[in-house]
Amino acid sequence: MPENNGAADDSGWIRIGNVSGTAVIGDNNTVYGGPPPVPVKRSPISHLPSPAAEPLIGRARDVRVLQEAIETRQLVQVWGASGVGKSALLRHLACELPHGPEGVAYVEAGGRTADDIAQAIFDISFDAPHYKPSLEVLKEHLKTLRLRIYLDDAGLGEKDLRRLLDMAGQSTFVFTSQQRSAVAGVHAIRLEGLSAPAAAELVEALLPRELRPDEAPVVAALCDAVDGNPLRLRRIALSAATGKGLPGIADLPELLPALLNKLQPHERDLLHLLGSLSGAELAARHLHDLLDRPDIDTVAGGLVRHGLLLASETGYSCPPDVAECVLNMRKTEFPADQLCRALTAWVEARDTTPDDVAAHFQALDVVVLRAERSGHARLGAALARAASPKLALSRQFDAWGSLLGVGWAAAKSAGDKESEEFFLGEARTRRRALGRGAMTAALVLEADVLWRELTALHAHSAVHQVATAASVSAPPAATSPVHAFTPTTHGAVHTQAVTHSTAVTSATSATSAPVHTALPVHAARPVVDMSQVTGAHSAAPVPQQIDLSGAHSSVASPTHAASTTTTTASTGHTGGAAAVATGAKSGITGLALACTLGLAAVLGVGAMVSANDQPTSSPVVVPSPVITPDLSYDTSPTDDTSPTVDPVCATVISALSPQITQFNTDVSAASDAIDSYNSEMSSYNAGETSTLPDNSAVVAADNTVISDLNSTESTLQQAISEVQDSSVETDLNAMLTAAQQTASQYQSFNSGGGGSVLDTSSQVAAMNSAADSLQIDCGA
């Protein structure tokens, strides 16, 4: 069926896209071809990880402790440093320990939202093909389960984690993450490194020979130096196997580059490819297509064995420190255009299933963003557009929403109007399918809501990846590209202190939307690195220069205009992938204007949505659509009732607005102080002046910002203690977390000395997203 990109045909129906499958969404629908399926609980329920290729070494005591905890507790967390072996231990527990009364479910949760994880648990537990129940019905089904649910790498915030755990209240949850959970009732167990005897056993298992007696003390000392981290111990074993013997402690800082230099060219090529994906995974099929290596599984398996790659149920990924090292060596990333073409061909292949696409949602996001950043935005938009139908059919709606956001950004950057409208139609229908259509009264406002919602979804995945790679600092931009996958302005709408209006003044507008004023949250220039020096006098120690030149190209200076337009925060293309492009002088954004093209929700998976507009006695009617092939969407109006606004909204927004305004002003002053200090330091480094610059103004300005954030935290904490609405509470908690993390960054920066790095881009993105969501939930 040819696409018409949202235009109505002669019958009044709106059609778009091609369908590659069928999905039923929601429960209050006019269903074509029959009613929604009746989910049948599987018996037994069993979804386990692949068996481990190697025995678990040195973890017998940890297994006993965890088994006892799992048998007596409902919520158990395994937390610890990256590379300490949390995932390997969790897979062992899932495979070896007794199952729950109704079975066991293992889910790789990295980057997923609570709703997508809940849907995955539903799909594992019930026979209901292609069915995405409404959230209320999903909860009703999950609460009947009595499973042991293992969640690997669950990077959820406190509220989202609690909400997920509450959905399946009769099941036992065991989950891993790097930070200890603050959720009440969680029994948190920290996984430490291996003991010296276990480290010797691991190293010996990886060597082609037995350890000599004189090597045991060396292994013990090395184990102590790396805190028993199994990933680093595997690299030590590789060094011994390819060198003259075990490395010394003094060799550890340069061990990784030395190992990479000893690898075969095709092994380094594989690391370069995966290192360019910011921690996202690719299956062996993709690696074979991109590198043309029929033995790619064998090659990757060898690198996993020696701690240079990570393996999961999905495929392979590169540890952050390995990625940084290999990208520094290559001075470039793997070509984004090759990634786009290979993944687009894979997505479009008939044997690629929706679940296959969903398993690679993070890689798709990263590649689309990289394509836009490297001048291949049109290829990135094409990839997102090809993947969208199957990702929608996977029922992982938040992963779908994230892809729609980055796809729209790439289309905007490429000037591809047809694809822009495609992504808008998909986003609008996604929101309607989730029963959120009643939350916005006018389509112009809805457009703004859609974009912010998709931005928030992408920020969740991006922040999760940034947290995973938090210990790795990006190298100077002058010598290498940005390696860490930071949620930059490609994935955020409000990245500056901007007040904008979406009021429609055109006489041709079908609807006059209310003025929408955003809480202005300032985005500090993302990367401030005190560890970079560009020259020195030998006569005296040189303080570290604060260098802003390494910031991402999307960084923009603060805006001081009180206009009704949204400024771009991305260089290199008009309008930017990050910000909503400015419309005419009316103040309506380009994105909002695009959404006024049609009044009906459009479903880009090729199927049309038919909402049930039959009378009902329920106080709120939120029609949920059905995705079925080649059908039409009924454009008749619905009778939605606006929800009650939480009383705390009346005070918290008015209290936060002046505080954040002050924060914006003081961050701008701090940025000016940094600029001044940089200028003075440049003169000193160049020998133009002999007086060391005084950084007290920078420190004082940063302390003022910290004070502002402390005031904001107090306001948020007070509001949280009084809040009644759960959605508003979630927004407030998200803002509080972002404010606390930002304050912590500034505090660390002030006290960190020469090695301190200030990068608040992800926290500011999270604050912006939560502030926008707060206004929506408060009816602003």
Side-chain angles (χ1 to χ4, degrees), residues 45 99 127 155 160 185 197 209 215 354 377 390 438-440 449 511 550 561 578 609 654 678 688 693 706 741 750 773:
I45 298 168
H99 299 173
D127 184 12
D160 286 338
R209 59 175 177 81
E215 290 178 317
K390 289 185 178 179
M439 292 177 62
T440 53
V449 170
T511 308
V609 180
S654 60
N678 275 342
E688 298 172 0
I706 294 169
Q741 291 175 347
N750 267 356
S773 182

Side-chain angles (χ1 to χ4, degrees), residues 101-414:
E102 293 182 322
V104 60
Y106 174 88
V107 178
E108 290 188 330
R112 294 194 189 187
T113 64
D115 288 349
D116 278 0
I117 294 172
Q119 179 67 38
I121 295 171
F122 174 84
D123 291 338
I124 290 169
S125 305
F126 294 91
D127 184 12
H130 314 302
Y131 179 40
K132 183 177 181 64
S134 65
L135 185 58
E136 292 72 19
V137 174
L138 179 63
K139 292 177 182 177
E140 290 299 314
H141 287 300
L142 294 187
K143 75 180 183 181
T144 69
L145 298 174
R146 293 179 297 154
L147 303 175
R148 282 189 178 173
I149 299 173
Y150 295 88
L151 303 178
D152 190 24
D153 197 19
L156 300 174
E158 181 177 349
K159 286 292 179 182
D160 286 338
L161 182 59
R162 169 53 65 188
R163 186 161 63 90
L164 176 64
L165 301 181
D166 287 345
M167 283 189 194
Q170 295 191 77
S171 295
T172 297
F173 281 86
V174 188
F175 64 98
T176 66
S177 55
Q178 288 194 30
Q179 302 298 323
R180 180 169 184 163
S181 173
V183 174
V186 171
H187 184 65
I189 298 175
R190 181 171 185 173
L191 186 63
E192 304 287 356
L194 297 178
S195 64
E201 183 181 354
L202 175 61
V203 171
E204 188 172 61
L206 295 169
L207 289 176
R209 59 175 177 81
E210 294 183 354
L211 283 175
R212 300 189 303 270
D214 63 305
E215 290 178 317
V218 178
V219 172
L222 290 168
C223 176
D224 184 62
V226 299
D227 296 322
N229 188 291
L231 200 68
R232 299 187 66 184
L233 288 168
R234 288 179 176 274
R235 298 170 187 173
I236 288 170
L238 175 60
S239 176
T242 57
K244 298 180 179 179
L246 290 168
I249 293 178
D251 300 323
L252 292 179
E254 298 300 321
L255 180 63
L256 187 53
L259 290 177
L260 297 183
N261 282 324
K262 293 178 182 178
L263 295 178
Q264 296 297 315
H266 63 272
E267 293 175 314
R268 288 196 294 269
D269 289 344
L270 176 55
L271 293 178
H272 178 230
L273 166 58
L274 290 172
S276 301
L277 294 177
S278 307
E281 301 169 331
L282 284 181
R285 170 178 176 173
H286 307 125
L287 303 177
H288 173 269
D289 291 344
L290 288 160
L291 299 176
D292 195 24
R293 292 285 307 190
D295 60 343
I296 200 67
D297 257 329
T298 302
V299 176
L303 295 173
V304 170
R305 180 174 170 81
H306 289 103
L308 298 178
L309 281 183
L310 303 174
S312 73
E313 300 300 294
T314 299
Y316 302 98
S317 63
C318 194
D321 58 342
V322 177
E324 181 188 30
C325 190
V326 73
L327 291 174
N328 274 332
M329 294 172 66
R330 290 290 180 98
K331 306 299 182 186
T332 185
E333 293 177 307
F334 193 89
D337 57 334
Q338 293 185 36
L339 289 167
C340 283
R341 291 187 178 97
L343 289 178
T344 300
W346 166 71
V347 164
E348 292 176 339
R350 297 180 67 88
D351 62 341
T352 301
T353 68
D355 289 343
D356 291 336
V357 176
H360 290 83
F361 77 97
Q362 288 183 298
L364 294 171
D365 274 8
V366 172
V367 171
V368 173
L369 284 167
R370 278 207 50 220
E372 183 196 0
R373 191 181 73 195
S374 61
H376 299 287
R378 191 171 293 275
L379 288 176
L383 171 59
R385 188 163 179 172
S388 177
K390 289 185 178 179
L391 195 50
L393 291 169
S394 75
R395 305 165 307 284
Q396 295 286 292
F397 263 33
D398 286 347
W400 180 33
S402 177
L403 183 73
L404 293 178
V406 295
W408 182 89
K412 186 72 177 176
S413 178

Side-chain angles (χ1 to χ4, degrees), residues 14-46:
I14 293 179
R15 299 175 181 274
I16 188 168
N18 296 311
V19 70
S20 56
T22 302
V24 179
I25 303 174
D27 308 284
N28 297 314
N29 307 289
T30 299
V31 180
Y32 292 87
V38 177
V40 177
K41 188 183 296 183
R42 294 188 171 97
S43 181
I45 298 168
S46 181

